[in-house]
């Protein structure tokens, strides 16, 4: 059991993104087009339910720490989970886009 605790901690760490300013203008907008009031944070929405719940709590903690306390959620968006196979035979390749939940929030 002592071996599992560090392994679980390593597995769960790094699954929540850093807090980023919201950019309502899309991925091609200039970096200074971001919102000064709204922010985003995401977590990986895959794995066992207790793992996802832990990641969600970590995202809440990041928002709380970023705001020095209280924050307001504007939206929660689930994305990803797409997969595709391209080609055939030996030339076949595949991709998978991980499922994520992104929170949009601001400090109050």
């Amino acid at each position: 059991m002592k071996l599992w605790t560090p392994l679980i901690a390593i597995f769960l760490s790094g699954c929540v993104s850093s807090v980023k300013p919201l950019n309502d203008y899309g991925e091609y907008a200039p970096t200074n087009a971001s919102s000064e009031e709204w922010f985003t944070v995401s977590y990986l929405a895959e794995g066992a339910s207790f793992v996802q719940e832990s990641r969600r709590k970590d995202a809440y903690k990041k928002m709380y720490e970023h705001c020095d306390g209280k924050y307001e959620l504007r939206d929660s968006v689930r994305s990803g989970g797409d997969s595709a196979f391209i080609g055939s035979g030996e030339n076949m390749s595949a991709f998978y886009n991980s499922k994520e939940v992104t929170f949009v929030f601001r400090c109050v």
Side-chain angles (χ1 to χ4, degrees):
M1 186 62 180
K2 290 182 182 181
L3 176 64
W4 287 108
T5 303
L7 290 176
I8 291 172
I10 291 169
F11 177 71
L12 293 177
S13 67
C15 297
V16 178
S17 72
S18 60
V19 173
K20 301 175 188 167
L22 176 66
N23 183 340
D24 284 327
Y25 301 104
E27 64 182 293
Y28 302 112
T31 55
N32 63 349
S34 60
S35 170
E36 293 180 15
E37 184 176 273
W38 293 95
F39 299 91
T40 62
V41 67
S42 302
Y43 70 90
L44 184 63
E46 295 183 342
S49 59
F50 74 92
V51 174
Q52 290 185 48
E53 185 176 318
S54 176
R55 291 176 185 150
R56 186 178 189 93
K57 288 179 181 178
D58 287 344
Y60 289 156
K61 182 179 178 184
K62 280 196 180 236
M63 291 184 282
Y64 184 88
E65 290 173 347
H66 179 81
C67 294
D68 293 325
K70 295 183 179 181
Y71 60 92
E72 171 188 356
L73 286 177
R74 179 174 90 178
D75 205 356
S76 173
V77 179
R78 186 174 280 271
S79 62
D82 305 320
S83 60
F85 294 95
I86 302 167
S88 62
E90 292 179 15
N91 296 323
M92 185 179 294
S93 59
F95 79 91
Y96 178 75
N97 188 8
S98 298
K99 296 176 189 174
E100 280 189 343
V101 172
T102 301
F103 291 120
V104 178
F105 71 100
R106 71 175 173 185
C107 301
V108 292

